[in-house]
Amino acid sequence: QVRVVESGGGSVQAGGSLRLSCEASEYTSSIKYIGWFRQAPGKEREEIACIDVRGGSTVYADSVRGRFTISQDSAKSTVYLQMDSLKPEDTAMYYCAALTKLRDYIEPDPRNGNWGQGTQVTVSS
């Protein structure tokens, strides 16, 4: 069972930056994607960025494209989410998940994939 652990959350002012990390216990042959998601109180879980760990291709949600960058260090089995130009509306719990199918990124469901416990990001105005 692949385990992932998020870190790097915190509190910043609008316009600031944070870098989140998602460390996987291992990259098994079944893991093809690492996705980042967020969930704000009272809102549904939202997919924001995903990387294909085999080739490095990436996808982003419109809400973060141009501000967030997903990358990986395969040697460390770690995926990063660099978040710049943060806005108050970025405030949420951020989760990463190790996924076997891209569909599990597009239609996130904690029952599919291996999810971490989340890291809180708070952006103040």
Side-chain angles (χ1 to χ4, degrees):
Q1 182 83 358
V2 176
R3 298 181 302 277
V4 294
V5 178
E6 305 95 337
S7 62
S11 297
V12 295
Q13 290 190 325
S17 298
L18 284 172
R19 188 177 80 158
L20 305 184
S21 298
C22 174
E23 183 175 0
S25 57
E26 60 180 327
Y27 276 175
T28 67
S29 58
S30 64
I31 300 302
K32 297 179 175 61
Y33 306 95
I34 298 290
W36 279 101
F37 308 83
R38 66 186 181 188
Q39 189 167 19
K43 295 188 176 181
E44 291 187 354
R45 191 163 297 196
E46 172 190 18
E47 66 277 13
I48 55 175
C50 183
I51 189 166
D52 184 328
V53 300
R54 298 162 295 177
S57 60
T58 59
V59 294
Y60 295 94
D62 289 343
S63 58
V64 305
R65 187 177 294 113
R67 300 188 298 123
F68 292 9
T69 304
I70 189 170
S71 62
Q72 66 173 340
D73 184 336
S74 299
K76 297 180 179 179
S77 300
T78 299
V79 168
Y80 303 99
L81 186 68
Q82 177 66 41
M83 306 187 297
D84 299 318
S85 303
L86 283 162
K87 305 175 182 180
E89 52 263 44
D90 294 318
T91 295
M93 184 70 79
Y94 283 68
Y95 301 89
C96 70
L99 308 170
T100 60
K101 303 185 295 293
L102 186 59
R103 180 175 182 174
D104 292 335
Y105 165 74
I106 298 169
E107 300 175 354
D109 185 337
R111 294 171 297 180
N112 299 327
N114 301 291
W115 291 72
Q117 295 300 306
T119 185
Q120 178 69 37
V121 172
T122 303
V123 185
S124 59
S125 58

